[in-house]
Amino acid sequence: MKRFKILRNVLLATIASSSLLNIAHADDALKMELTANQVIKNAEGKTVYTPVRTAPAGTVIQYKANYTNTVNKDISDLMVTLPIPANMTFTGDAMPASAQASTDGKNYADMPLMRKVDGKMVKIPYSEYRTLRWNIKLLPAKKSAAVALNTTVN
Protein backbone atom coordinates (compact mmCIF):
# COMPACT_ATOMS: atom_id res chain seq x y z
CA MET A 1 0.00 0.00 0.00
CA LYS A 2 3.06 2.22 -0.37
CA ARG A 3 1.51 3.28 -3.72
CA PHE A 4 -1.61 4.50 -1.90
CA LYS A 5 0.55 6.60 0.46
CA ILE A 6 2.46 8.16 -2.41
CA LEU A 7 -0.73 8.96 -4.30
CA ARG A 8 -2.29 10.42 -1.15
CA ASN A 9 0.72 12.76 -0.81
CA VAL A 10 0.38 13.73 -4.47
CA LEU A 11 -3.32 14.43 -3.86
CA LEU A 12 -2.47 16.64 -0.87
CA ALA A 13 0.08 18.59 -2.90
CA THR A 14 -2.35 18.99 -5.81
CA ILE A 15 -5.14 20.20 -3.55
CA ALA A 16 -2.82 22.60 -1.75
CA SER A 17 -1.63 24.07 -5.07
CA SER A 18 -5.16 24.25 -6.43
CA SER A 19 -6.41 25.85 -3.24
CA LEU A 20 -3.72 28.52 -3.36
CA LEU A 21 -4.76 29.41 -6.90
CA ASN A 22 -8.41 29.43 -5.90
CA ILE A 23 -7.91 31.74 -2.93
CA ALA A 24 -5.54 34.30 -4.37
CA HIS A 25 -8.41 36.82 -4.43
CA ALA A 26 -9.04 36.22 -0.73
CA ASP A 27 -5.61 37.49 0.37
CA ASP A 28 -4.65 34.08 1.77
CA ALA A 29 -7.63 34.23 4.11
CA LEU A 30 -8.47 30.55 3.71
CA LYS A 31 -7.16 27.53 5.60
CA MET A 32 -7.77 24.04 4.17
CA GLU A 33 -7.56 20.74 6.01
CA LEU A 34 -7.81 17.45 4.09
CA THR A 35 -8.70 14.12 5.68
CA ALA A 36 -8.93 10.61 4.24
CA ASN A 37 -11.29 8.22 6.02
CA GLN A 38 -12.47 4.70 5.34
CA VAL A 39 -16.25 4.57 4.95
CA ILE A 40 -17.74 1.66 6.92
CA LYS A 41 -21.33 0.60 7.67
CA ASN A 42 -21.59 -0.58 11.29
CA ALA A 43 -23.89 -3.35 12.59
CA GLU A 44 -26.77 -0.88 12.91
CA GLY A 45 -26.34 0.23 9.29
CA LYS A 46 -24.93 3.63 10.31
CA THR A 47 -22.05 5.06 8.27
CA VAL A 48 -18.83 5.40 10.26
CA TYR A 49 -15.68 7.23 9.11
CA THR A 50 -12.32 5.86 10.30
CA PRO A 51 -8.94 7.52 9.58
CA VAL A 52 -6.93 5.45 7.11
CA ARG A 53 -3.35 5.43 5.80
CA THR A 54 -3.41 2.31 3.65
CA ALA A 55 -6.27 0.25 2.28
CA PRO A 56 -6.78 -2.83 0.12
CA ALA A 57 -8.59 -2.80 -3.24
CA GLY A 58 -12.33 -2.34 -2.92
CA THR A 59 -12.13 -0.12 0.18
CA VAL A 60 -14.29 3.01 0.09
CA ILE A 61 -12.32 6.12 1.07
CA GLN A 62 -13.80 9.57 1.65
CA TYR A 63 -11.64 12.60 0.96
CA LYS A 64 -12.96 15.58 2.88
CA ALA A 65 -11.64 19.13 2.60
CA ASN A 66 -12.62 21.60 5.31
CA TYR A 67 -12.16 25.26 4.32
CA THR A 68 -12.00 27.87 7.09
CA ASN A 69 -12.22 31.61 6.51
CA THR A 70 -9.54 32.98 8.85
CA VAL A 71 -10.32 36.69 8.54
CA ASN A 72 -13.10 39.05 9.58
CA LYS A 73 -14.40 39.43 6.03
CA ASP A 74 -16.80 37.20 4.09
CA ILE A 75 -15.50 35.32 1.05
CA SER A 76 -17.96 34.91 -1.81
CA ASP A 77 -18.04 32.72 -4.92
CA LEU A 78 -15.18 30.50 -3.79
CA MET A 79 -14.42 27.70 -6.28
CA VAL A 80 -12.74 24.67 -4.70
CA THR A 81 -11.63 21.45 -6.37
CA LEU A 82 -10.72 17.95 -5.25
CA PRO A 83 -8.85 15.68 -7.68
CA ILE A 84 -9.57 11.96 -7.73
CA PRO A 85 -6.31 10.01 -7.29
CA ALA A 86 -5.19 7.82 -10.20
CA ASN A 87 -5.56 4.58 -8.23
CA MET A 88 -9.11 5.42 -7.13
CA THR A 89 -12.54 5.38 -8.76
CA PHE A 90 -15.17 7.97 -7.86
CA THR A 91 -18.28 6.28 -6.41
CA GLY A 92 -20.73 9.00 -7.44
CA ASP A 93 -21.09 10.25 -3.87
CA ALA A 94 -20.21 13.92 -3.38
CA MET A 95 -21.10 16.23 -0.51
CA PRO A 96 -22.66 18.63 -1.13
CA ALA A 97 -24.32 17.07 -4.14
CA SER A 98 -24.03 20.35 -6.08
CA ALA A 99 -20.52 19.36 -7.21
CA GLN A 100 -19.60 19.53 -10.86
CA ALA A 101 -17.30 16.92 -12.40
CA SER A 102 -14.57 16.84 -15.02
CA THR A 103 -12.78 14.12 -16.97
CA ASP A 104 -9.88 16.43 -17.83
CA GLY A 105 -9.64 18.89 -14.91
CA LYS A 106 -10.53 21.81 -17.21
CA ASN A 107 -14.09 21.37 -18.46
CA TYR A 108 -16.75 20.94 -15.75
CA ALA A 109 -20.43 20.06 -15.94
CA ASP A 110 -23.23 18.98 -13.63
CA MET A 111 -23.32 15.29 -12.77
CA PRO A 112 -23.91 12.83 -14.22
CA LEU A 113 -21.50 13.66 -17.02
CA MET A 114 -22.83 12.75 -20.46
CA ARG A 115 -21.38 12.21 -23.93
CA LYS A 116 -22.72 11.33 -27.35
CA VAL A 117 -22.08 7.74 -28.52
CA ASP A 118 -23.55 6.55 -31.82
CA GLY A 119 -25.90 9.53 -31.85
CA LYS A 120 -27.23 8.83 -28.31
CA MET A 121 -26.40 10.60 -25.05
CA VAL A 122 -24.93 8.18 -22.51
CA LYS A 123 -23.55 8.58 -18.99
CA ILE A 124 -19.78 8.74 -18.68
CA PRO A 125 -18.53 6.03 -16.27
CA TYR A 126 -17.41 7.28 -12.85
CA SER A 127 -14.03 5.65 -13.52
CA GLU A 128 -13.36 8.46 -16.02
CA TYR A 129 -14.07 11.29 -13.56
CA ARG A 130 -10.78 13.01 -12.56
CA THR A 131 -11.82 16.10 -10.57
CA LEU A 132 -14.82 17.54 -8.73
CA ARG A 133 -15.41 21.19 -7.99
CA TRP A 134 -17.82 23.14 -5.84
CA ASN A 135 -18.85 26.78 -5.75
CA ILE A 136 -19.10 27.93 -2.15
CA LYS A 137 -21.40 30.92 -2.67
CA LEU A 138 -20.61 32.52 0.69
CA LEU A 139 -18.11 31.62 3.39
CA PRO A 140 -18.77 34.01 6.27
CA ALA A 141 -15.96 35.48 8.35
CA LYS A 142 -14.43 32.98 10.79
CA LYS A 143 -16.70 30.14 9.54
CA SER A 144 -15.99 26.85 7.79
CA ALA A 145 -17.41 24.84 4.88
CA ALA A 146 -16.65 21.26 3.94
CA VAL A 147 -16.72 19.34 0.67
CA ALA A 148 -16.16 15.61 0.23
CA LEU A 149 -16.08 12.84 -2.32
CA ASN A 150 -16.06 9.08 -1.96
CA THR A 151 -13.74 6.82 -3.94
CA THR A 152 -13.00 3.11 -4.16
CA VAL A 153 -9.43 1.81 -4.13
CA ASN A 154 -8.68 0.09 -7.45
Side-chain angles (χ1 to χ4, degrees):
M1 288 297 125
K2 190 174 192 179
R3 187 174 120 191
F4 178 76
K5 244 182 177 175
I6 292 168
L7 288 170
R8 182 171 183 262
N9 289 339
V10 169
L11 174 67
L12 288 170
T14 302
I15 290 172
S17 298
S18 175
S19 295
L20 289 175
L21 291 173
N22 286 336
I23 63 171
H25 71 282
D27 297 323
D28 298 322
L30 198 63
K31 178 180 138 195
M32 190 271 292
E33 178 185 1
L34 179 70
T35 57
N37 291 298
Q38 183 174 353
V39 180
I40 303 168
K41 293 275 187 189
N42 66 15
E44 293 82 37
K46 182 180 176 193
T47 302
V48 179
Y49 302 94
T50 306
V52 65
R53 288 182 177 238
T54 61
T59 304
V60 177
I61 305 293
Q62 180 184 80
Y63 290 98
K64 182 177 182 181
N66 191 50
Y67 295 91
T68 302
N69 181 348
T70 63
V71 296
N72 289 322
K73 183 177 177 185
D74 294 349
I75 300 173
S76 56
D77 290 320
L78 178 65
M79 296 299 281
V80 297
T81 60
L82 283 180
I84 299 162
N87 69 330
M88 308 292 262
T89 298
F90 178 55
T91 65
D93 294 323
M95 289 66 69
S98 61
Q100 292 187 315
S102 173
T103 58
D104 62 8
K106 296 175 187 170
N107 300 299
Y108 289 86
D110 293 336
M111 295 188 287
L113 295 178
M114 305 291 284
R115 72 170 147 230
K116 194 177 258 188
V117 176
D118 296 328
K120 294 169 63 175
M121 294 303 286
V122 298
K123 289 182 183 179
I124 295 175
Y126 290 136
S127 60
E128 295 183 33
Y129 287 38
R130 299 301 354 129
T131 309
L132 296 189
R133 106 177 151 186
W134 292 263
N135 180 4
I136 300 172
K137 300 270 185 219
L138 178 67
L139 184 56
K142 303 294 184 179
K143 298 292 181 182
S144 296
V147 299
L149 60 87
N150 288 359
T151 61
T152 303
V153 179
N154 294 339

